[in-house]
Amino acid sequence: VVGKDEHPTVTNWSPDLVVDALARRMGIPLPGRPQPSASLSIRRPPSICPGCPFKAASLAIQSLKHRNKLDLVFGDIGCSTLLHFQGSLDLNLCMGASESMRQGFVLGDSSKASRVVSLIGDSSECHSGMDATRNALFRNIPGVKIVLDNRAIGMTGAQPSPTSRLPGSKPYDLAAS
């Protein structure tokens, strides 16, 4: 096993790292850069966009936790990850993992099935969450999976997904199917 090289060719390059590396290589002295003032950096966690329905889901989850009706919330990547900063998400792993983690937890202690939920965004559900949904149904694993839909695909560039509303189309109605 070899650790990271002192001057790796593959890394996370920031503009400052590039300028420093080029200046050293070319022998150009760089003037000192001003450091951002601590008073100028506002420290706040990332948050849900104003008006997003995920905020309502977060408040409902917080209420259930406060009333001791919910123990754990398993999450997924995407906008729903931001619910962690509102105290509404306990565990988060990768895209599509929320329901798989919930199922594993419930299989380990079935008495907790009604006290845990999994959260996933609608696009993540289409991308990689449906396998876990199918597994829960096939294996008859009890519990609740919440698919959050904010009518947007912002995290990955707004490309269409199976849940996208195309211009002129009717919304898909789960109750009608």
Side-chain angles (χ1 to χ4, degrees):
V1 175
V2 176
K4 200 174 208 181
D5 292 334
E6 186 177 344
H7 301 290
T9 56
V10 178
T11 189
N12 295 324
W13 289 97
S14 69
D16 286 341
L17 287 174
V18 171
V19 168
D20 289 345
L22 289 173
R24 274 196 315 273
R25 178 78 111 208
M26 298 170 69
I28 301 171
L30 289 175
R33 291 196 187 102
Q35 295 299 317
S37 167
S39 63
L40 293 178
S41 68
I42 299 170
R43 300 206 185 254
R44 68 174 181 85
S47 61
I48 300 292
C49 296
C52 179
F54 285 21
K55 182 67 174 180
S58 175
L59 293 172
I61 290 167
Q62 288 173 29
S63 175
L64 289 170
K65 285 182 152 196
H66 182 70
R67 293 181 300 170
N68 199 30
K69 295 187 181 271
L70 190 60
D71 291 336
L72 280 173
V73 179
F74 297 94
D76 217 280
I77 67 164
C79 292
S80 60
T81 303
L82 298 172
L83 297 183
H84 164 76
F85 299 102
Q86 277 78 46
S88 303
L89 184 68
D90 298 304
L91 296 166
N92 187 17
L93 185 60
C94 63
M95 185 179 282
S98 58
E99 178 63 3
S100 299
M101 290 188 296
R102 187 201 65 78
Q103 289 175 37
F105 184 84
V106 168
L107 288 172
D109 185 356
S110 60
S111 69
K112 298 283 188 177
S114 65
R115 301 191 52 85
V116 298
V117 297
S118 65
L119 292 178
I120 190 169
D122 62 313
S123 298
S124 293
E125 172 68 6
C126 291
H127 180 75
S128 61
M130 288 183 181
D131 290 337
T133 303
R134 185 174 52 239
N135 186 62
L137 293 171
F138 178 74
R139 301 194 185 290
N140 200 25
I141 301 172
V144 176
K145 177 178 188 174
I146 300 170
V147 180
L148 298 170
D149 184 358
N150 61 359
R151 307 271 195 256
I153 308 171
M155 303 278 290
T156 57
Q159 77 275 17
S161 80
T163 59
S164 298
R165 306 304 188 275
L166 300 175
S169 69
K170 294 180 181 178
Y172 183 72
D173 186 3
L174 289 173
S177 56

